[in-house]
Amino acid sequence: MTATTLAPADRTATDDYATLRTAVGAYRVTAPLVRLTGDDRLTFLDGFLAKSADYVEPDTVREVLALNADGTPFAILLHFEIGDESWLLPRTAATADELGAYLAQFEPSGVTVEVSPEGWGATAFEGPTAWSVAAAFVDFDISGLTLHAVTESTDAAPGATAHLARVGSTGEYGYLLLSDAPQAVHEAVLAAVAEQGGAEVGTDALARMQAEAGMGLYDAGFGGLTVGRADVAWMIDWNRIGEFHGSDGLVAPTESDARLTALVAPVGSRFTPGTPLTAAGRQVGTVLHQAPAANPEEELVLTLLDAPFWVPGLELTAEDEAGDARPLRTATLPRVIARSLTSKIA
């Protein structure tokens, strides 16, 4: 496929998907930012993040999990350490009010918490040529910005404070610009993306690629799943049970538990959440979420499957929205081999 730059009104989710897979797509980050300041901010973060901040380096970003009091997942967050500040950015759905209420329950001492700090915002861009866009915003060889590193960007917009992080959500090269001049930086990114044959992309194509990369929860949410059922137990530091919010309610998953599983189905199949999945007439799971139909080759469905049916390559059946029985097959993730895996940063 060859990506083409179209006027926004002419673009479809399939166009956006092709752009993200073959070139570079930009999008505005709409999730609420949180800024933390104060010498005790890392201690504060350790009170509710499921992995310790003991070994977090300055000018880095990591993905972390926060739990509810009962041990169920609250949100997946990006945690940035930039200078004397910590920043949080939700990956899963969380409003500013929800974040504010969640953080307020910990009564921070010596830490200032600002939810949606005025004037700040973020723009991201991803794709196999995203590095060539990022190169326009730094004064060094962009290959020197390693995954999960953050650097100051003096070229994003005149007079703006901007931080460029190498972090993505699609399996392709990804970068994010955090700035106090978000509109100017967003326009600068769009101009740089257009020069590389890319375009601004919508949420459907982005959500589809995230699901294919194994990050479908970003769009689907947790829907009341436990840590084990959501298959995010790897984000827990099990040696810190009792040390962070909600950890006392955790139960380590076992091989006999039901698990979040990706299935593929024929193009055009649409399934309602809650639809039963069957094997030889026996119900073995439930449809949770269907990724947007941006990939023209197949549909991707997230399900909760009983053990041992979450293994790859099994043929299952579900009734689609039209009432027809449709075949589905359990699949491994990532579903698509990212072009960035074989496309080097020049």
Side-chain angles (χ1 to χ4, degrees):
M1 287 184 288
T2 300
T4 57
T5 304
L6 307 176
D10 297 329
R11 294 188 67 85
T12 66
T14 303
D15 296 326
D16 290 347
Y17 181 87
T19 295
L20 284 163
R21 282 284 176 212
T22 63
V24 54
Y27 56 95
R28 195 187 299 272
V29 177
T30 58
L33 285 161
V34 177
R35 178 167 57 188
L36 307 173
T37 52
D39 292 340
D40 296 327
R41 65 186 189 280
L42 293 182
T43 300
F44 173 67
L45 290 171
D46 273 349
F48 62 89
L49 296 182
K51 286 190 176 180
S52 171
D54 284 348
Y55 302 104
V56 172
E57 295 289 335
D59 298 323
T60 60
V61 56
R62 62 176 181 153
E63 191 171 71
V64 286
L65 179 66
L67 303 178
N68 294 307
D70 62 0
T72 57
F74 167 68
I76 295 173
L77 306 164
L78 287 179
H79 165 210
F80 301 82
E81 275 301 308
I82 304 174
D84 295 328
E85 300 175 339
S86 299
W87 291 81
L88 299 175
L89 178 65
R91 287 293 212 187
T92 50
T95 66
D97 288 343
E98 289 169 340
L99 271 175
Y102 182 83
L103 296 172
Q105 65 186 313
F106 306 117
E107 300 179 355
S109 176
V111 179
T112 300
V113 179
E114 300 172 79
V115 180
S116 299
E118 185 176 358
W120 285 84
T123 290
F125 48 99
E126 304 192 42
T129 62
W131 61 267
S132 59
V133 173
F137 300 114
V138 296
D139 56 4
F140 57 85
D141 185 345
I142 193 59
S143 64
L145 186 66
T146 57
L147 185 62
H148 298 146
V150 182
T151 188
E152 185 178 1
S153 173
T154 57
D155 301 321
T161 297
H163 306 283
L164 178 68
R166 185 176 165 192
V167 61
S169 64
T170 63
E172 301 287 357
Y173 290 125
Y175 299 85
L176 181 145
L177 271 165
L178 175 66
S179 174
D180 63 356
Q183 181 59 35
V185 167
H186 184 68
E187 292 173 358
V189 168
L190 292 184
V193 163
E195 288 182 4
Q196 299 299 325
E200 188 169 17
V201 296
T203 56
D204 281 354
L206 181 65
R208 176 55 187 253
M209 285 189 61
Q210 290 169 341
E212 291 175 346
M215 301 172 183
L217 288 172
Y218 290 174
D219 186 48
F222 290 103
L225 296 176
T226 64
V227 163
R229 289 192 163 201
D231 203 18
V232 292
W234 62 273
M235 300 186 74
I236 302 289
D237 184 348
W238 294 93
N239 294 319
R240 295 181 61 234
I241 299 304
E243 298 182 20
F244 59 94
H245 182 69
S247 63
D248 288 333
L250 289 172
V251 177
T254 68
E255 290 297 314
S256 62
D257 292 341
R259 185 180 301 176
L260 185 72
T261 308
L263 278 72
V264 292
V267 172
S269 307
R270 302 305 299 175
F271 301 95
T272 302
T275 298
L277 290 152
T278 61
R282 169 193 167 192
Q283 182 173 346
V284 297
T286 306
V287 172
L288 298 180
H289 173 78
Q290 184 163 353
N295 184 333
E297 298 181 1
E298 61 187 17
E299 304 294 346
L300 187 63
V301 184
L302 298 184
T303 68
L304 184 65
L305 287 186
D306 297 336
F309 294 91
W310 32 254
V311 298
L314 292 184
E315 299 289 342
L316 304 177
T317 303
E319 190 175 283
D320 66 11
E321 292 178 347
D324 298 321
R326 292 278 191 165
L328 301 97
R329 186 177 72 259
T330 54
T332 57
L333 296 175
R335 183 62 189 158
V336 176
I337 298 175
R339 185 172 294 191
S340 297
L341 292 175
T342 57
S343 174
K344 293 182 178 181
I345 298 177

